[in-house]
Amino acid sequence: MLETSARLLRLLSLLQTPRDWTGAELADRLAVSTRTVRNDVERLRALGYPVHGTRGAVGGYRLGAGAALPPLLLDDEEAVAVAVGLRTAAGGSVAGIEETSLRALAKLEQVLPHRLRRRVTALHTHTVRVPHDQPGPTVDAGTLSLIGAACRDRERLRFDYVRHDGTADRRDVEPYRLVNWGRRWYLVAFDPARDDWRTFRVDRISPRTPTGPRFAARDLPGDVVDRVRHGVSAAAWRHRATVRVHAPAEVVAERINAAVGTVEPAGETACLLHTGADRLETIAVWLGVLDLDFTVEDPPELADLLRTLAARYLRAAG
């Protein structure tokens, strides 16, 4: 009986991988006959596990989705990864899942073998989390789920939206993608009223339910990634700057993080860097790290700051 139970657990573990298994493959892995595999599959089905099977020479077995979540059989690395992920989620940017994450983590750590519990505890005990410069906004888990479902089902999304200046209006859009940028979440959608693509911060969205009618899928424009990256970055900046860098665009693009700014070619030996930050001093640091000649085109306050810093550095050099 113990051997059969152990074999069923091993069979369940194999079936939880996202692939189809032939009876011969399972028999080889379990070191049993294909008849035993068929009997074990029937036992799992009797226990409530939805094991789907297809007949024929290329037939196979796959574990489907059931009414209840079956026990998950994780290897060592998977168990540690899930534990670390749950602890990270408990302090992340999605509100409403902290308690749930900690509850799930407690259940997992209770059944972890001692060797794995020691690894997870060591990571938690000896990891110091550096706080963000400014507290990031949190989004509601229910709002994220609703938007994700609307993207999946191609249903129009209606919501109240608070703009950057604090004014509010009502929007009716076709949702396509959720973008996680640092601690912020964004919705990429097509706005029929404006006949253009738009990016919305999810923490400023108050959905109206039910969602709207289904819509025909559109092709995302080829430059949507760059457009979203630029829009997301600019929306998060207090100060924006345009700097002419005296080097080819490909050289600058290799030295600048996509989260810091976008690079626009301006001839073979120059380019425009569109960047920004919450403080002008931060922009000055990024420009220094480039290690390239540049000219500030906008704003004048950045040029003034660089003159002040240059004088300070000269005095420091004696």
Side-chain angles (χ1 to χ4, degrees):
M1 187 65 184
L2 180 60
E3 181 181 351
T4 301
S5 299
R7 191 175 66 245
L8 286 177
L9 287 174
R10 174 61 176 156
L11 174 59
L12 182 58
S13 176
L14 292 172
L15 291 174
Q16 285 180 347
T17 57
R19 55 160 292 185
D20 289 325
W21 291 88
T22 66
E25 288 174 329
L26 291 173
D28 182 64
R29 289 295 189 98
L30 299 172
V32 296
S33 66
T34 55
R35 180 179 179 180
T36 299
V37 169
R38 289 195 297 271
N39 292 335
D40 286 348
V41 167
E42 290 304 320
R43 290 189 179 96
L44 289 179
R45 288 170 175 164
L47 291 172
Y49 296 101
V51 182
H52 303 310
T54 56
R55 297 182 180 276
V58 292
Y61 299 99
R62 175 187 287 267
L63 184 65
L69 181 68
L72 295 177
L73 303 178
L74 307 173
D75 63 28
D76 287 6
E77 298 305 320
E78 291 170 341
V80 172
V82 171
V84 173
L86 286 171
R87 193 175 293 280
T88 301
S93 60
V94 182
I97 66 170
E98 301 92 339
E99 182 181 349
T100 306
S101 299
L102 291 175
R103 192 165 63 244
L105 178 62
K107 291 181 180 179
L108 178 61
E109 290 184 336
Q110 184 177 0
V111 298
L112 282 177
H114 180 66
R115 65 181 188 282
L116 298 185
R117 191 181 301 115
R118 280 174 53 85
R119 289 174 58 182
V120 173
T121 302
L123 278 173
H124 174 62
T125 303
H126 299 285
T127 298
V128 178
R129 184 180 180 187
V130 178
H132 293 268
D133 293 338
Q134 294 181 349
T138 58
V139 301
D140 179 71
T143 299
L144 278 180
S145 297
L146 187 148
I147 294 175
C151 293
R152 178 198 63 203
D153 299 335
R154 295 285 185 261
E155 293 179 346
R156 290 179 69 143
L157 193 65
R158 298 174 292 196
F159 55 87
D160 295 322
Y161 188 70
V162 179
R163 299 191 189 92
H164 185 70
D165 60 5
T167 60
D169 64 356
R170 187 172 300 176
R171 310 301 282 266
D172 188 335
V173 302
E174 300 173 359
Y176 279 84
R177 296 288 187 273
L178 278 169
V179 179
N180 181 209
W181 188 284
R183 289 180 59 85
R184 290 185 171 91
W185 289 80
Y186 296 85
L187 166 66
V188 179
F190 185 84
D191 190 335
R194 292 160 177 79
D195 194 31
D196 199 3
W197 295 90
R198 289 291 189 268
T199 303
F200 304 93
R201 273 180 49 173
V202 177
D203 60 292
R204 296 176 178 169
I205 289 177
S206 298
R208 289 179 168 269
T209 55
T211 52
R214 295 175 66 88
F215 59 88
R218 301 174 186 268
D219 292 331
L220 291 170
D223 62 345
V224 67
V225 174
D226 288 336
R227 290 178 59 187
V228 170
R229 180 186 296 124
H230 184 270
V232 166
S233 299
W237 294 332
R238 180 181 177 186
H239 299 283
R240 305 180 189 180
T242 300
V243 178
R244 181 175 294 272
V245 184
H246 304 291
E250 57 271 18
V251 173
V252 178
E254 291 178 354
R255 303 189 184 189
I256 199 78
N257 188 292
V260 170
T262 57
V263 179
E264 175 187 345
E268 296 182 358
T269 60
C271 63
L272 292 177
L273 172 62
H274 303 283
T275 184
D278 288 335
R279 301 180 61 200
L280 288 174
E281 289 82 359
T282 303
I283 302 177
V285 171
W286 290 339
L287 293 174
V289 172
L290 275 179
D291 194 25
L292 295 168
D293 291 338
F294 61 87
T295 303
V296 176
E297 298 204 350
D298 190 65
E301 294 81 7
L302 176 59
D304 293 340
L305 172 64
L306 291 175
R307 295 187 189 96
T308 300
L309 292 176
R312 183 176 300 157
Y313 292 156
L314 285 174
R315 291 194 299 271

